[in-house]
Amino acid sequence: MSDFITAFAPASIGNVGVGFDMLGLALADAGDRVLARRSDGDRVTVAEVRGLDGELHPYLSTNAEENTASIAAQALWDQHGDGGGVELKVHKGVPLQSGMGSSAASAVAAAVATNALLEAPLEIDALLPFALEGEKYASGGMHPDNVAPSLLGGLIFCPEVLLPEVVRLPSPTGVSSVLLHPDLQVNTAQARRALPKSVSMDLWLQQQGLLAGFVYACASDDIDLVAKTLHDVIIEPHRKGNVACFDEVVTAANKAGALGCTLSGSGPSIFALCKDGDARNIASAMEQACRSQGIGCQSWVSSMNAPGAHIES
Ligand code: HSE
């Protein structure tokens, strides 16, 4: 019998369009698994990283100082461990550089699995700062909009200014997310460096209004207001050029009845929010539009209440 504990952490939609670095949404089904067990030594080590195909990962490092999973686990172990060692196995289910919170999912799954090895495991919310250490290494920023929904599930409002406090927002009733992952890659750290350092007062006012309206729309179950406010006037214009099929996919999603459609995190993934009953049609319209541009893709449909990270075995 294996003495490993296995944790699953879901992929996530960073920014959710309106809330750059401060709003995140968990996805269902897609996610990473991290297996953890006690080991000799006094550090967290990574025994293996496997890719989506089950084979040893060609790019991700087993060097514990270069892997978001071990960095998160070590941060937790340094503060709460008993001085022994921990061995991790990382099984990626989220494609790299996909805009689906891949590095965050590994960091969160590692924190959750390692937490289960502690004599007195912490409450799940208390793992956020440790998982964030892994994310900081990967993307060069302290943005929690992938880590927080991956850890806690659902829709999370998590501006840095409030950390470590985050706010779980109610999800509007009967609304799903559709996420399309085109077979492209965008490096988040690079995409962040390419953003302008300042924005005009006019744009800031528009985005502030949209974000406040969107949060209120979710809290008050107002689907029309969700549709009116799901727009990104600041970041999307700078990033959509990295995703060759962006305009076609967004047009197809809107034509099929999406409430709104924009980039997931730094892209290349594109997500739509929509009424539950429209989700399958919208997913196939988005896939078709993407393939018509000669780009392969995969899509996921999720409830807006998708569960967060948990121990599987
Ligand atoms: N908020 C981050 C960004 C998310 O947009 O750069 C990255 O997935």
Side-chain angles (χ1 to χ4, degrees):
M1 206 172 75
S2 166
D3 49 357
F4 278 102
I5 285 175
T6 303
F8 173 83
S12 54
I13 295 171
N15 304 333
V16 197
V18 281
F20 180 61
D21 277 1
M22 62 182 78
L23 203 55
L25 179 63
L27 293 171
D29 303 327
D32 285 358
R33 287 184 171 79
V34 171
L35 292 73
R37 71 173 172 191
R38 305 295 306 248
S39 66
D40 297 335
D42 59 357
R43 304 283 301 164
V44 175
T45 56
V46 182
E48 65 178 33
V49 183
R50 290 190 183 273
L52 285 158
D53 54 5
E55 298 297 319
L56 288 179
H57 203 287
Y59 307 120
L60 287 179
S61 176
T62 52
N63 178 340
E65 282 163 25
E66 296 175 355
N67 191 298
T68 65
S70 39
I71 291 170
Q74 187 70 58
L76 175 65
W77 202 245
D78 283 344
Q79 274 199 31
H80 297 280
D82 59 9
V86 174
E87 181 185 35
L88 302 180
K89 291 182 178 181
V90 181
H91 294 178
K92 296 295 299 173
V94 185
L96 298 190
Q97 306 197 333
S98 58
M100 297 171 65
S102 179
S103 50
S106 292
V108 167
V112 170
T114 304
N115 187 46
L117 299 177
L118 297 177
E119 230 166 77
L122 309 183
E123 294 290 329
I124 191 111
D125 301 45
L127 298 177
L128 183 71
F130 305 109
L132 271 174
E133 287 299 321
E135 178 70 317
K136 194 164 72 175
Y137 172 79
S139 69
M142 201 54 164
H143 58 90
D145 53 319
N146 290 114
V147 165
S150 179
L151 184 66
L152 303 171
L155 179 63
I156 308 287
F157 180 58
C158 47
E160 190 180 346
V161 69
L162 293 184
L163 292 178
E165 186 172 342
V166 300
V167 179
R168 292 167 191 262
L169 293 175
S171 300
T173 312
V175 176
S176 296
S177 71
V178 178
L179 182 125
L180 176 97
H181 173 233
D183 289 346
L184 302 169
Q185 289 194 325
V186 171
N187 178 287
T188 297
Q190 275 171 19
R192 293 177 73 76
R193 282 195 293 273
L195 290 174
K197 297 285 168 272
S198 58
V199 294
S200 69
M201 177 68 91
D202 179 46
L203 279 183
W204 180 75
L205 283 171
Q206 283 182 46
Q207 198 67 57
Q208 207 188 20
L210 292 167
L211 174 60
F214 182 82
V215 168
Y216 182 74
C218 292
S220 62
D221 225 359
D222 184 340
I223 292 183
D224 292 337
L225 192 57
V226 168
K228 207 166 168 185
T229 52
L230 184 53
H231 300 289
D232 168 13
V233 295
I234 293 183
I235 307 296
E236 182 194 288
H238 293 284
R239 287 180 166 173
K240 67 177 194 165
N242 296 333
V243 186
C245 55
F246 181 82
D247 287 333
E248 290 76 11
V249 169
V250 171
T251 302
N254 288 334
K255 211 165 141 194
L259 302 171
C261 183
T262 183
L263 286 173
S264 172
S266 55
S269 289
I270 300 168
F271 81 98
L273 296 185
C274 62
K275 293 186 181 151
D276 293 343
D278 295 334
R280 294 284 160 202
N281 269 348
I282 290 173
S284 74
M286 290 168 78
E287 284 198 19
Q288 226 176 327
C290 185
R291 294 206 172 94
S292 77
Q293 300 305 300
I295 301 170
C297 56
Q298 193 181 354
S299 69
W300 287 265
V301 171
S302 308
S303 128
M304 281 188 74
N305 289 317
H310 51 272
I311 298 293
E312 286 186 330
S313 59

